[in-house]
Amino acid sequence: MTESTYRIQGATGDWEVVIGLEVHAQITSNAKLFSGASTEFGAEPNTQVSLVDAAMPGMLPVPNQECVRQAVRTGLALNAEIHKYSRFDRKNYFYADLPQGYQISQLYHPIVGEGVIEVALDEKDPDSEVRQIGVERIHIEQDAGKLMHDQHPTMSYVDLNRSGVALMEIVSRPDMRSPVEAGAYVKKLRSILRYVGSCDGNMEQGSMRADVNVSVRKPGEEFGTRTETKNVNSVRFVQQVIEIEANRQVDVLEAGGEIVQETRLYDPDRNETRSMRSKEDAHDYRYFPDPDLLPLELTDDFIADCKASLPELPDAKRKRYESELGLTAYNAAVLTAEAETARAFEVLLKETAAKQGKADTEVATQVANWSLSIAPGVQKALEVTADHENNTPAANAAILAMVSGGSVSGGQAKEIYEIVLKTGRDAEEIADTEGLKQTSDTGAIEAEIEKILETNADKVEQYKAGKDKLFGFFVGQTMKAMKGKANPQIVNELLRKKLD
Amino acid sequence: MSVDSKTVKKIASLARIHMDDAEVEALVPELNNILGWVEQLGEVDVSGVEPMTAVIPNTLRMRDDIVDADPLTAGGVRDKVLANAPVAEHGFFGVPKVIE
């Protein structure tokens, strides 16, 4: 079964699932959307709350220009239409985490219009299917505070540190048809946001959360009634919500029931969704333009500056790695999936090329293989992460240069790297003092070969008579005599010359 | 457009304002009177006229992304923020338990 035909098998036949996602991404900024209070995560409760965020009477919101800039840059990264005229509206509801009694959002005139995200169903498989998922809009809004229910037997505690932090709500079209597709969309969106630097994409800390809209229909029929499951905070949970909710809806429909358009809540412990009855009036937000805020008008210069500040984005980078650097499609896809991986790769690439006096293209494959499989393997064995202080580009480049020059074998490179990570010592010094070098001294190797051929004259005869397999024996004997430190390429060459 | 007592009750409930039946009945004609005036404004043909957002032409001012630049809109004022709270414990507001 391919993903394009993901179906729920019901008693009355197959059902198709239709998914739309509203992703709330916290905009990376120092200060909040409408106040000067800090956005730093993890501070003592209510210490990052200004009188604006606490909705004290008479306080007026003044938008943070950086938040506007990041929303525009995000829109541009999704090839979306930027609205030079947008404005803020009040979304009215009462909840203990919302001191204003309304959220400042943008309903009628969002800052960003239609865009598109190209999603590969498996980003690490270059041959996997690619979909265009439509983005309907992006708007800017305030985050609410945080409620804690387990600290007191009869009360909930309210921390307003998050109140007023800027969010982008990125609303997709109902273009997704399977949990895998929705998961790939969230991952790709997160990757783009991290490249752009407009959101750190940290789902554990709640910097990115999704409202998951799900409906089911018989293939080819009209859209069914949808439900919205709120605040889902991981890719895995998004996929689970879709599965459970789609199956629940099929069960309801096949039992002759109807789907109610409602807000639901996901309970990861029980792996179920349930109705949030308290939000019955939730769609009665009585939006109206916020009289405290004038329309937000963007100049062409501002938008042009935003555009000029965008980095190379993952799709473009992936294509360039293949076409210019000659990397395999797989390596290019894996290296570009996360901004940090690509950044580290490019730093090491520059360093390596400079160290070896070669062009980027000549060392790109060596650096890619080292970065993607060899180095991570050693790091994993030592239980350190790539950001370890001894894992410097200079040290890595020094090791790669020795491998290229033939003075160090692949195995020795790993051993040297291990010592570098553990001690921070100089890679070249380690190779010298720890004897982690192979010799390319043809004279020394040749002398050993002479001896081996003499003592094994019988085997030389057999080899010459056609017993090809014995070649390996001679290689082994030579390596042994050289205590494993001979450059195998040179050993091979010399043996061929003597024997053939 | 006009409202009936049912709509008024709903709006009051959404705004968390308690009203007894007599108050609601009194408010229905008042609100309808206001809505009537608004409808009268609608009689003016404004096609092709840009909506006016302010009497004096003005543009939205924005702030720089600097933490606590202006003490009036800065954080770090927990005591002030919690000063009027009916219940404040351990630096939090305490509210009746709200849980889904």
Side-chain angles (χ1 to χ4, degrees):
Chain A
M1 187 177 78
T2 66
E3 277 311 321
S4 56
T5 53
Y6 176 85
R7 295 283 185 267
I8 304 276
Q9 269 127 37
T12 60
D14 283 358
W15 295 81
E16 184 182 43
V17 184
V18 176
I19 306 146
L21 293 174
E22 293 163 25
V23 173
H24 299 262
Q26 187 183 317
I27 298 177
T28 301
S29 65
N30 301 316
K32 292 184 181 181
L33 178 54
F34 294 116
S35 86
S38 168
T39 59
E40 191 99 30
F41 182 80
E44 286 294 302
N46 291 310
T47 54
Q48 292 174 176
V49 183
S50 72
L51 300 177
V52 179
D53 312 312
M56 291 296 170
M59 301 308 290
L60 283 174
V62 178
N64 180 340
Q65 171 144 339
E66 176 64 10
C67 300
V68 172
R69 195 179 81 92
Q70 291 292 23
V72 170
R73 293 175 75 242
T74 305
L76 291 167
L78 304 182
N79 293 311
E81 187 190 346
I82 305 301
H83 293 156
K84 290 165 75 177
Y85 176 98
S86 69
R87 56 176 308 163
F88 294 98
D89 303 297
R90 289 187 181 180
K91 177 180 180 176
N92 300 280
Y93 66 95
F94 283 102
Y95 211 64
D97 61 9
L98 187 76
Q100 284 168 166
Y102 58 84
Q103 177 194 34
I104 304 180
S105 182
Q106 297 188 300
L107 177 69
Y108 300 109
H109 299 282
I111 189 162
V112 176
E114 289 207 50
V116 70
I117 299 183
E118 198 177 285
V119 174
L121 292 188
D122 178 355
E123 82 260 37
K124 295 193 174 164
D125 173 6
D127 298 322
S128 93
E129 219 172 312
V130 172
R131 296 281 165 75
Q132 309 282 328
I133 308 294
V135 169
E136 189 178 306
R137 55 186 281 158
I138 302 176
H139 61 257
I140 307 174
E141 61 187 24
Q142 297 172 299
D143 206 345
K146 209 167 132 191
L147 285 164
M148 300 167 91
H149 305 295
D150 51 3
Q151 308 286 311
H152 191 279
T154 58
M155 284 192 297
S156 293
Y157 280 160
V158 188
D159 174 11
L160 296 181
N161 279 349
R162 208 178 59 188
S163 166
V165 168
L167 299 177
M168 291 178 276
E169 181 171 330
I170 302 153
V171 183
S172 85
R173 294 246 167 235
D175 283 352
M176 288 157 275
R177 297 288 179 270
S178 73
V180 170
E181 218 172 303
Y185 168 85
V186 175
K187 282 190 222 158
K188 185 61 178 286
L189 177 59
R190 185 173 56 186
S191 163
I192 294 171
L193 295 177
R194 281 181 169 163
Y195 266 83
V196 170
S198 58
C199 170
D200 66 22
N202 189 332
M203 297 186 93
E204 297 75 43
Q205 291 182 359
S207 306
M208 238 180 111
R209 359 190 244 277
D211 296 346
V212 184
N213 288 282
V214 175
S215 65
V216 295
R217 65 174 175 186
K218 287 286 171 66
E221 285 182 5
E222 299 276 290
F223 285 149
T225 304
R226 71 189 158 89
T227 63
E228 179 181 10
T229 305
K230 287 269 189 200
N231 276 334
V232 185
N233 64 359
S234 80
V235 172
R236 190 165 59 91
F237 287 166
V238 166
Q239 298 184 333
Q240 275 170 8
V241 162
I242 295 164
E243 272 195 56
I244 317 169
E245 191 46 26
N247 278 291
R248 186 192 68 86
Q249 292 185 11
V250 167
D251 288 347
V252 169
L253 291 169
E254 292 195 332
E258 266 184 35
I259 302 301
V260 189
Q261 181 167 350
E262 62 178 353
T263 306
R264 298 180 71 86
L265 195 70
Y266 176 58
D267 182 340
D269 297 328
R270 296 182 181 182
N271 200 27
E272 62 176 27
T273 67
R274 58 175 186 271
S275 181
M276 289 171 81
R277 277 175 233 295
S278 63
K279 293 254 178 172
E280 257 171 20
D281 285 323
H283 295 285
D284 213 337
Y285 289 128
R286 292 146 298 135
Y287 279 98
F288 63 88
D290 192 319
D292 284 342
L293 288 154
L294 285 159
L296 175 55
E297 294 181 72
L298 306 177
T299 62
D300 289 327
D301 285 349
F302 180 81
I303 297 172
D305 284 349
C306 288
K307 187 152 206 165
S309 77
L310 284 181
E312 185 181 33
L313 294 166
D315 287 341
K317 205 181 265 299
R318 198 189 66 233
K319 281 169 198 152
R320 182 171 64 82
Y321 280 10
E322 282 186 59
S323 63
E324 277 182 27
L325 297 180
L327 298 186
T328 61
Y330 173 85
N331 278 356
V334 180
L335 284 170
T336 55
E338 289 297 336
E340 304 88 88
T341 319
R343 212 172 291 136
F345 168 74
E346 287 180 14
V347 169
L348 184 54
L349 182 65
K350 286 273 162 284
E351 192 91 23
T352 301
K355 181 97 187 166
Q356 300 184 20
K358 291 181 183 166
D360 287 358
T361 48
E362 292 175 275
V363 294
T365 299
Q366 187 194 19
V367 175
N369 291 337
W370 175 261
S371 306
L372 287 179
S373 58
I374 303 166
V378 176
Q379 289 163 16
K380 207 175 159 199
L382 292 181
E383 292 178 355
V384 302
T385 50
D387 58 5
H388 191 277
E389 56 172 350
N390 294 335
N391 190 30
T392 62
N396 282 271
I399 298 172
L400 290 175
M402 291 189 282
V403 175
S404 281
S407 64
V408 158
S409 71
Q412 287 167 331
K414 278 193 210 173
E415 288 182 57
I416 296 167
Y417 184 53
E418 206 177 305
I419 299 171
V420 165
L421 289 180
K422 279 190 200 155
T423 65
R425 280 163 56 194
D426 180 75
E428 282 153 11
E429 174 268 319
I430 295 168
D432 286 335
T433 52
E434 305 293 331
L436 289 168
K437 269 194 160 172
Q438 61 186 7
T439 178
S440 301
D441 176 350
T442 45
I445 300 172
E446 227 169 339
E448 291 299 335
I449 289 177
E450 293 291 352
K451 280 189 239 165
I452 289 161
L453 297 187
E454 245 176 69
T455 47
N456 295 288
D458 52 334
K459 292 212 167 64
V460 174
E461 283 309 312
Q462 289 172 27
Y463 177 80
K464 289 198 165 152
K467 208 168 172 194
D468 291 351
K469 275 188 202 155
L470 278 170
F471 191 77
F473 165 80
F474 294 119
V475 174
Q477 289 297 309
T478 312
M479 290 305 279
K480 205 172 144 193
M482 295 294 300
K483 300 192 174 58
K485 303 241 167 68
N487 183 334
Q489 213 179 326
I490 291 174
V491 171
N492 273 300
E493 277 170 23
L494 292 174
L495 275 169
R496 292 250 175 254
K497 222 159 67 184
K498 296 269 174 213
L499 289 167
D500 295 346
Chain B
M1 188 189 168
S2 65
V3 292
D4 55 15
S5 56
K6 204 179 134 204
T7 312
V8 172
K9 276 184 189 163
K10 167 123 199 253
I11 299 166
S13 144
L14 286 171
R16 304 291 189 272
I17 297 172
H18 175 77
M19 297 193 120
D20 58 36
D21 287 349
E23 284 173 308
V24 170
E25 287 314 316
L27 203 58
V28 170
E30 274 186 43
L31 284 175
N32 281 332
N33 206 6
I34 295 168
L35 289 169
W37 290 337
V38 175
E39 253 165 43
Q40 207 179 339
L41 290 174
E43 288 168 17
V44 182
D45 181 9
V46 290
S47 50
V49 180
E50 286 288 309
M52 186 175 69
T53 48
V55 182
I56 307 158
N58 216 341
T59 48
L60 180 63
R61 285 179 50 211
M62 296 211 245
R63 65 168 69 239
D64 290 330
D65 186 29
I66 300 167
V67 173
D68 297 347
D70 178 348
L72 280 177
T73 64
V77 289
R78 178 155 83 183
D79 291 346
K80 283 187 185 171
V81 164
L82 294 176
N84 299 315
V87 184
E89 286 182 5
H90 312 298
F92 293 98
F93 291 92
V95 299
K97 200 148 228 163
V98 275
I99 190 158
E100 293 296 339

